[in-house]
Amino acid sequence: MTDEERKVNTIQKGLAKILLQNGSMFLKQAFKVSPTKEMTRAELNLFLINKGFTKPGSLSLSDEQFYFESLDFWNSFIAYYWNEQRPYETDRFDCDNFAFKFASDATDLFGLNSVGACYGNVYRKDGSWLSGHAFNLILATDENGELKVYLYEPMNDNITEWNGDKTPMGNWLYEINWSLYY
């Protein structure tokens, strides 16, 4: 690399950093997050057990306090979220990367640790197993302020209320084996 190429490369890196920092700041300002509900780890654990997380080791809650926003907030953010536009690359940026990035961005951008990154299985509509898969669960308040669980597919932005079993969305049925909230 020549000295001129190094200088251009350094400028590109600096500009990229500024753009990323400002983009994050713009999103935070545009969405004006004010959590609609808070829960302790113990309260959230009990809530999720009552929603069907009963398999030992199927749930990891890393924080002591959890913060929730409304479903309207999540629908609005998802409408502007860009990850589904990213190309799927086997083993390089596949379902687990989509799921963990969305959960991490929720915390990084808004301080909301109420998006779980989940591992599970997907099935065809006829119930036959298709593959292992990673996706998200979003814990959000509904229009009445009640906390609900929503299944979110970060690769195509589909969202639906989770029913605690094999939840249908699109052409698949989703089953959760493990979920991490951090």
Side-chain angles (χ1 to χ4, degrees):
M1 188 181 285
T2 68
D3 284 344
E4 187 174 317
E5 289 171 329
R6 272 193 217 57
K7 286 179 188 175
V8 169
N9 187 268
T10 300
I11 292 169
Q12 287 173 321
K13 289 175 186 174
L15 180 58
K17 180 179 177 181
I18 290 167
L19 289 171
L20 289 168
Q21 288 171 328
N22 284 326
S24 292
M25 180 186 65
F26 293 151
L27 282 170
K28 289 174 189 176
Q29 290 173 350
F31 283 97
K32 296 176 179 62
V33 170
S34 179
T36 56
K37 190 172 189 75
E38 296 179 22
M39 277 186 178
T40 65
R41 178 191 313 187
E43 291 169 329
L44 181 57
N45 190 54
L46 183 58
F47 171 81
L48 290 170
I49 286 171
N50 290 331
K51 292 293 184 180
F53 279 91
T54 55
K55 288 187 247 177
S58 68
L59 183 59
S60 262
L61 303 175
S62 298
D63 297 319
E64 292 296 326
Q65 191 75 19
F66 290 85
Y67 304 90
F68 310 92
E69 253 296 353
S70 69
L71 180 60
D72 287 342
F73 164 82
W74 287 111
N75 283 329
S76 178
F77 175 61
I78 288 166
Y80 287 95
Y81 195 61
W82 53 93
N83 261 3
E84 81 288 351
Q85 298 169 11
R86 188 173 179 148
Y88 178 97
E89 295 179 67
T90 302
D91 296 329
R92 297 183 68 125
F93 202 91
D94 53 12
C95 62
D96 54 325
N97 303 104
F98 279 92
F100 276 89
K101 181 154 184 4
F102 184 76
S104 294
D105 283 347
T107 300
D108 179 41
L109 295 170
F110 306 116
L112 297 171
N113 55 356
S114 50
V115 175
C118 305
Y119 283 101
N121 296 301
V122 287
Y123 300 83
R124 294 175 187 87
K125 287 281 184 168
D126 67 6
S128 61
W129 185 81
L130 183 62
S131 73
H133 190 53
F135 46 91
N136 298 103
L137 280 186
I138 298 173
L139 306 176
T141 55
D142 66 9
E143 62 278 352
N144 299 316
E146 183 181 342
L147 188 61
K148 298 223 172 156
V149 183
Y150 298 91
L151 176 64
Y152 173 62
E153 176 54 75
M155 291 172 33
N156 62 22
D157 284 350
N158 286 335
I159 189 168
T160 191
E161 191 168 346
W162 182 61
N163 68 16
D165 194 18
K166 290 181 182 169
T167 300
M169 187 165 56
N171 293 321
W172 293 354
L173 303 172
Y174 290 73
E175 174 185 65
I176 296 172
N177 294 331
W178 176 79
S179 187
L180 168 65
Y181 291 83
Y182 56 98

